[in-house]
Structure formats: C-alpha cells, structure tokens
Amino acid sequence: MFTLLNIALFSGVAIAQAVSIGPTVDLGYVTYLGNQSYPNTVAYLGIPYAEPPVGNLRFRATVPLNTTRVTEEAKGEALVNATYYPDFCIQGTTGVGDAGGAGSEDCLKVNVYSPYGAKEGDNLPVLFYIHGGGYVFGNPRNWPFDSWINQSPNVIIVSIYYRLDSFGFLATPEFTDPTYGDFNAGFKDQIQALKWVKSYISKFGGSPTKVTINGQSAGGSSVELHMTANQGEQLFSGAIAQSVFRTPLPTPEQQQPLFQFYALYAGCGTGSVAKQMTCLRGASINALARAQDAAAQGKFSGLYDSFHPVLDGVLITGHPTRMFQYGEFVHVPLIVGSTSNETLSGGANISLALKEFFPSLTDEDIQEFLWLYPADEFDSPSQRFQVATGEPDVICGRQAMGAPSSLYSNTWAYRYNTPNPTSGADIVAHSAENWMMFDGTNTGPNGSTTFTPQTPSELAFASELVAYWLSFVRAGDPNAYKLDKSPTWEQYSETNPTRIVLMQDLQNLTVVSGSYMERQPVTETVRCAFAISKAQACEN
C-alpha cells in the first residue's frame, strides 16, 4: 500500500516519472496521486469539489470549484497528494452528552474509489454515497469503500463530505434574500458534488450518465430529497435509500426561534438580521459549535431544535412523502428499505416521542396513531414503543417511496434482519447494516469510529450485500450480478409488496445465503398507509 509521502516536495519531477510513484489521475487542472489500497483498488482521498465555505461564504450556497485557483495553488507541482483522508466537516453532538465541534469548515471534498488502471473512456457506472448522521454529524472515513472495489473492480464510488448542523442548515425567513444567507446550504453541497461528478468522473474511468445515488439515514433522507427537489437538471439515473430519516421539513418561519436562540448563544443576538449574520460569520467555530450543541442538549425550549433541511419554496418545494404520492419525483430504478427493529425515538411514552419527533402533530393525530398500535398486539411495552415510533420515524419510508416508485420504475424493497454483533442486543437496530457493509464500523462522537474484525461468515454476508448493491449500480437490477448463492430479489409493488429479508445464514456458513423473500404484513401496510396520510402533519 502506498502511504503518506510528501509528494508536493517533488518540484519539477516530470509526470512520466511521477507515475511510477503510484496511481494518478489528471483532471485537466491538476493531477492527483492516489493510494493503492488493494492490488486492484485505488482511493483518491480529499479531492475538492467546491470552494471552501469560509469567511463570507459561511452560511451561503455552495460555490463551484475555482479550478484556476487549484492549479495556481499547486504551484506547478507534478502531483497533488490525495493519499490521506481530509478533515471532516464540523460536527454536532450525537445527542448522548458529548460536545461537537471537531472538524473543519474547509471540508467540501470527495473520496473517489476506482479500479486500478481505470481510465477515461471506460465509462464505468458510478455509486455516489451520502453519509448519515441526522444532518448533524458524520465522517466519510468511517464508511470506507476500498473493499467494495476490491470485490467488484468494475464501478467507481464517490463518497462526499457536506456541511452539517448549523453550518449546513441555518435558516431564518430573511434568507429569502440571499444577501443574508442561503437555505439548505448542506443539501446544495450535495448537488454541487453531483455536478462535479458529472464534469470530472470520466477522468477516473466513470460514466457521468450512469450515477446511482445512495445514502443511509440522513443520507437516505437526502436521496429522497434529491428525487423530489427542483434541481434543474437530472444528475443521477438510479437511487438506493436505506432507513430513510423521515424528519420533518419545517418552514423557515418555524425555524426562526432556533435561529434567534443560536445567534444569542453565540454572542450575536442583538441588532438586525444583517448585523447578526455579520457577527455569526465572524464568530469562532468554538462559539458556533457550543450554540448548536446547546439547542440539541435541551437549552432551547422551542419545538424545532435541530438544524435540518427546510421548505425553502424554491429548491425544496414540498414534503417529499406527499410529492411521492402525487408522482412528483424523478422516476428512476429504486431500492428502498429499513432494518427490522429501528426507531429514532427514545423513552417509553409513545405520545411524547411522536410529539417530539413530529412537533406539528395534534393530540387527535397522536390518538389516531395510538389506536393503530393496541398494547395486546405486542409482546412487550418496549416492542410496542419501537414499532409505534419506528414505523413513522423510519420504516414507513419503504412504502412511502416504494409503492409510488413501482408505478413508474423497477423497484425493490428490503428488510435488513441481522443485528450488529457488537451491540449486545438481539434487535436489528438503526444502522445495523453499516457494521456489516463497512468493515465492522461503530461510529462515535466527533468523527470517530471503531472497526471490529469480522468473522469469515460475516465477511461472506457482507459480500452478498455488496454484490446486490453494486449489481444495481451496474445494471439497474440487484439480480444481474448477485452472488450465485443469493436468492433472486423479486420486485416490490403496491399490489404485491414483496421484499427481501437480508439476513446472515444462521448456521454461520460462508457458502449458504440466509436471505429470503417475504410479503409485507398487512398490519404494517395499513399502519404505514395511515402514517403516509399524515405527511402534511408530520411535515415529511
């Protein structure tokens, strides 16, 4: 493996000589040196796709990369080092008492994983990955794709960094005038990264017309938003939405109390919005990190206490669940699903949890939800809580997106049913598949993670999952290049809601699949139909 060398010191070395140092890619404005992580795999890490959102660009829409600036900053060097992970974006708290604030504002980068020897003209399909973390935290380094390329060296994978928490999603009604700031800056980062891919992925051997967007949790929510947002051009040809975070999309007016709290806590609470924004752009990262954490840790008493995407009326013009029901989304092949037992709510009181997650629900709405989840239908109060909150929080995204999608495009649904073996629990919780698909990762606060070694049977199951995912990327069909041992994944539709249960073989064998097909239970279909009907009240 080629490790860190200060390639920038090799001033005057000819490109032909430098190539022998390691794999390179010439983007026309600069040549990057990559890291050969496997004999057949190259990782180009930390490649900028936009201008650094610092100084006056803080809280503003993404600015396309100034390639002339990048060329000039390379100062004629033969190669620019792209063999190490970049600084991740400023983190918020994970909500378990930790402080956020780690990272950098200069974080609008991508990691590109490609087969060794891939070149322009190969036109390989592209997977574009959007990480999760509630739009508040997340570090792409914690979800590496080297092993995916090693298994299937016929795709290009792009993993992106985008602004998080207040840095990416600060909102107040005055932002309708961009003099003050811009709505949904973090989501606009994602769009700009897709545009960069369209312009430059061919240099890595990829096809700009064969791009599948994929994300988990907030990344899954982002996929849903890309399918419904008014982006002006089609930037992808397929979509994979994992455990869609069905968070409310408030209006800027509903977010205004949070803005005022944040500005006050950061020391910028007085004067006009113009003066507040000038103050916030001059504030230290430490002050802003403390302010955004304070809101999430209970010091703010308003209903909307998180910095998330908002209905800006221009880019995001409606609640995505409702738009899906009316066919107002990009019609591309889709995979959508969730884990078996996930919820994003805590506590034991269903009513309070629903009200906290969906602040606009009325007491009547909540009573209607409770009526659908009678206690005598569940094994325990904890199971009832998990299902009654987990379905509207996450699980019903499968039906909300999958049923409308199946009317226009080939659609597949799944239920992931293997616990994270390091969790100490039998339930298949939110993000359980990430541990399996990404080298045993368990993420922690401030961009950290712990990787746990995987057994041969776990590695075999991970390979089965990756094969399905990358088959979809390559062919728009998870079955085209699945493993021979894997079952055929039947399509999902509103009239025939069949889904695959993705599951490790219970005997821990490496040559047998534990996955199988099932029909979505009628009770789940009825409950999710109700949750979908409440999209306006849930604001999702």
Side-chain angles (χ1 to χ4, degrees):
M1 180 186 297
F2 185 84
T3 56
L4 297 182
L5 292 175
N6 190 0
I7 300 304
L9 294 177
F10 290 106
S11 178
V13 177
I15 290 291
Q17 294 174 309
V19 166
S20 64
I21 297 173
T24 63
V25 60
D26 183 358
L27 299 187
Y29 55 90
V30 75
T31 298
Y32 286 104
L33 175 73
N35 187 31
Q36 188 174 353
S37 51
Y38 287 95
N40 64 351
T41 304
V42 180
Y44 297 96
L45 305 173
I47 297 179
Y49 66 81
E51 287 298 284
V54 300
N56 191 50
L57 295 184
R58 180 187 279 177
F59 308 125
R60 296 195 187 276
T62 327
V63 176
L65 185 68
N66 182 343
T67 56
T68 300
R69 176 187 62 79
V70 175
T71 301
E72 291 174 351
E73 289 182 357
K75 298 178 181 178
E77 301 299 339
L79 297 173
V80 174
N81 193 358
T83 65
Y84 58 92
Y85 284 103
D87 290 335
F88 46 83
C89 294
I90 302 296
Q91 303 287 291
T93 175
T94 62
V96 292
D98 60 288
S104 169
E105 283 189 275
D106 184 4
C107 65
L108 300 187
K109 314 287 176 65
V110 292
N111 301 324
V112 182
Y113 303 83
S114 69
Y116 184 87
K119 60 187 183 304
E120 190 168 11
D122 288 347
N123 290 320
L124 298 175
V126 179
L127 175 66
F128 180 94
Y129 190 76
I130 307 164
H131 71 75
Y135 296 109
V136 171
F137 55 90
N139 175 7
R141 181 176 188 166
N142 300 339
W143 302 285
F145 284 97
D146 308 76
S147 63
W148 290 43
I149 299 294
N150 182 48
Q151 176 177 326
S152 185
N154 35 43
V155 299
I156 306 293
I157 300 177
V158 179
S159 179
I160 70 161
Y161 299 73
Y162 59 97
R163 280 174 286 178
L164 302 167
D165 214 337
S166 65
F167 293 86
F169 298 99
L170 188 67
T172 185
E174 287 80 3
F175 283 8
T176 53
D177 180 351
T179 301
Y180 301 111
D182 292 284
F183 297 118
N184 299 311
F187 184 65
K188 290 173 179 175
D189 293 344
Q190 298 178 15
I191 295 173
Q192 185 56 42
L194 278 166
K195 291 180 177 179
W196 182 90
V197 165
K198 184 176 183 179
S199 296
Y200 294 106
I201 203 63
S202 62
K203 302 294 186 180
F204 297 86
S207 171
T209 63
K210 301 176 183 176
V211 177
T212 297
I213 56 175
N214 178 196
Q216 186 267 341
S217 193
S221 170
S222 296
V223 168
E224 183 183 40
L225 288 178
H226 282 291
M227 295 181 73
T228 56
N230 180 28
Q231 296 182 178
E233 60 180 304
Q234 186 154 339
L235 297 168
F236 55 92
S237 56
I240 304 173
Q242 300 173 229
S243 298
V244 176
F245 177 32
R246 304 187 73 238
T247 183
L249 270 69
T251 64
E253 289 74 19
Q254 289 171 318
Q255 286 288 87
Q256 189 173 33
L258 178 61
F259 170 85
Q260 292 295 344
F261 169 88
Y262 174 79
L264 180 64
Y265 204 95
C268 300
T270 59
S272 66
V273 170
K275 290 183 178 179
Q276 288 177 305
M277 292 307 301
T278 298
C279 178
L280 288 171
R281 289 195 173 94
S284 68
I285 289 175
N286 180 60
L288 300 182
R290 289 178 181 272
Q292 66 187 15
D293 282 356
Q297 293 171 341
K299 296 179 181 178
F300 171 66
S301 59
L303 295 178
Y304 298 86
D305 61 358
S306 300
F307 295 97
H308 289 166
V310 298
L311 287 178
D312 58 28
V314 177
L315 177 62
I316 301 177
T317 58
H319 296 118
T321 295
R322 285 176 58 85
M323 295 181 75
F324 261 86
Q325 308 322 300
Y326 288 106
E328 299 172 357
F329 60 94
V330 178
H331 302 152
V332 295
L334 173 69
I335 290 176
V336 60
S338 68
T339 71
S340 293
N341 310 120
E342 58 189 331
T343 180
L344 297 175
S345 295
N349 186 305
I350 297 171
S351 298
L352 291 178
L354 288 174
K355 183 66 176 178
E356 182 176 353
F357 199 92
F358 304 112
S360 290
L361 285 180
T362 66
D363 291 342
E364 182 180 355
D365 293 329
I366 292 173
Q367 287 306 309
E368 290 176 344
F369 268 108
L370 291 175
W371 182 82
L372 286 169
Y373 299 90
D376 59 5
E377 289 189 6
F378 297 93
D379 295 336
S380 65
S382 62
Q383 185 197 40
R384 183 189 182 215
F385 179 89
Q386 179 269 302
V387 178
T389 58
E391 286 185 346
D393 287 3
V394 185
I395 294 170
C396 291
R398 175 170 45 224
Q399 184 169 320
M401 295 175 66
S405 174
S406 70
L407 300 176
Y408 304 95
S409 309
N410 294 335
T411 300
W412 291 265
Y414 72 86
R415 176 170 68 88
Y416 184 81
N417 196 43
T418 297
N420 178 335
T422 68
S423 67
D426 292 332
I427 63 170
V428 187
H430 189 63
S431 302
E433 78 273 36
N434 281 349
W435 186 91
M436 196 66 66
M437 299 176 83
F438 294 105
D439 303 338
T441 189
N442 279 313
T443 58
N446 276 323
S448 63
T449 198
T450 300
F451 291 100
T452 304
Q454 296 177 306
T455 67
S457 58
E458 289 163 350
L459 290 170
F461 180 45
S463 295
E464 181 177 9
L465 298 171
V466 169
Y468 276 133
W469 258 236
L470 294 186
S471 175
F472 182 80
V473 172
R474 295 170 66 187
D477 183 344
N479 299 300
Y481 300 102
K482 69 176 181 65
L483 300 186
D484 290 341
K485 69 178 182 180
S486 300
T488 297
W489 189 341
E490 299 172 22
Q491 290 191 36
Y492 177 97
S493 70
E494 187 170 25
T495 57
N496 185 30
T498 57
R499 62 196 184 191
I500 196 169
V501 179
L502 296 169
M503 187 169 176
Q504 185 177 338
D505 171 53
L506 294 176
Q507 301 179 70
N508 291 322
L509 301 176
T510 60
V511 294
V512 176
S513 173
S515 301
Y516 61 92
M517 296 300 303
E518 70 174 11
R519 188 177 177 88
Q520 182 170 297
V522 173
T523 51
E524 179 183 325
T525 301
V526 170
R527 294 190 302 246
C528 283
F530 175 77
I532 292 166
S533 77
K534 290 294 183 181
Q536 188 71 19
C538 291
E539 300 179 289
N540 61 14

